[in-house]
Amino acid sequence: MRRPAIFLSVGDRQGTVAVGKRADLLLLEQNPLSDVRNVRRLAGVMLRGRWMPEPELRAMMEVLVRSYSRR
């Protein structure tokens, strides 16, 4: 998302995948441009430079759901 980053004046730090830029991105198994349902085919997330594969994200969501269901 280069253009929003440029608009927000953060294009030097984020908006593209490059050495030295903030490493936050979502990796999908398939192209969402060919079928929008592919956004549900998550491979993982790179968050603050840490790779989080889909099974780890799913486990985190399960813990979150359980914590809210006890309320």
Side-chain angles (χ1 to χ4, degrees):
M1 304 290 291
R2 184 175 64 91
R3 290 183 184 193
I6 291 169
F7 177 77
L8 295 169
S9 300
V10 294
D12 60 326
R13 295 184 309 274
Q14 46 193 100
T16 59
V17 179
V19 174
K21 290 199 173 183
R22 184 176 173 153
D24 292 347
L25 62 91
L26 179 82
L27 183 63
L28 303 175
E29 296 282 346
Q30 304 243 334
N31 186 348
L33 298 177
S34 61
D35 186 341
V36 72
R37 290 174 292 191
N38 288 333
V39 297
R40 296 184 179 265
R41 302 205 51 198
L42 182 65
V45 172
M46 181 68 75
L47 180 62
R48 296 184 189 111
R50 179 175 173 251
W51 175 246
M52 302 171 74
E54 190 275 337
E56 183 178 338
L57 295 168
R58 190 174 344 108
M60 290 170 62
M61 288 299 293
E62 289 170 4
V63 168
L64 187 61
V65 167
R66 281 194 305 272
S67 74
Y68 276 93
S69 65
R70 288 189 289 246
R71 291 179 181 206

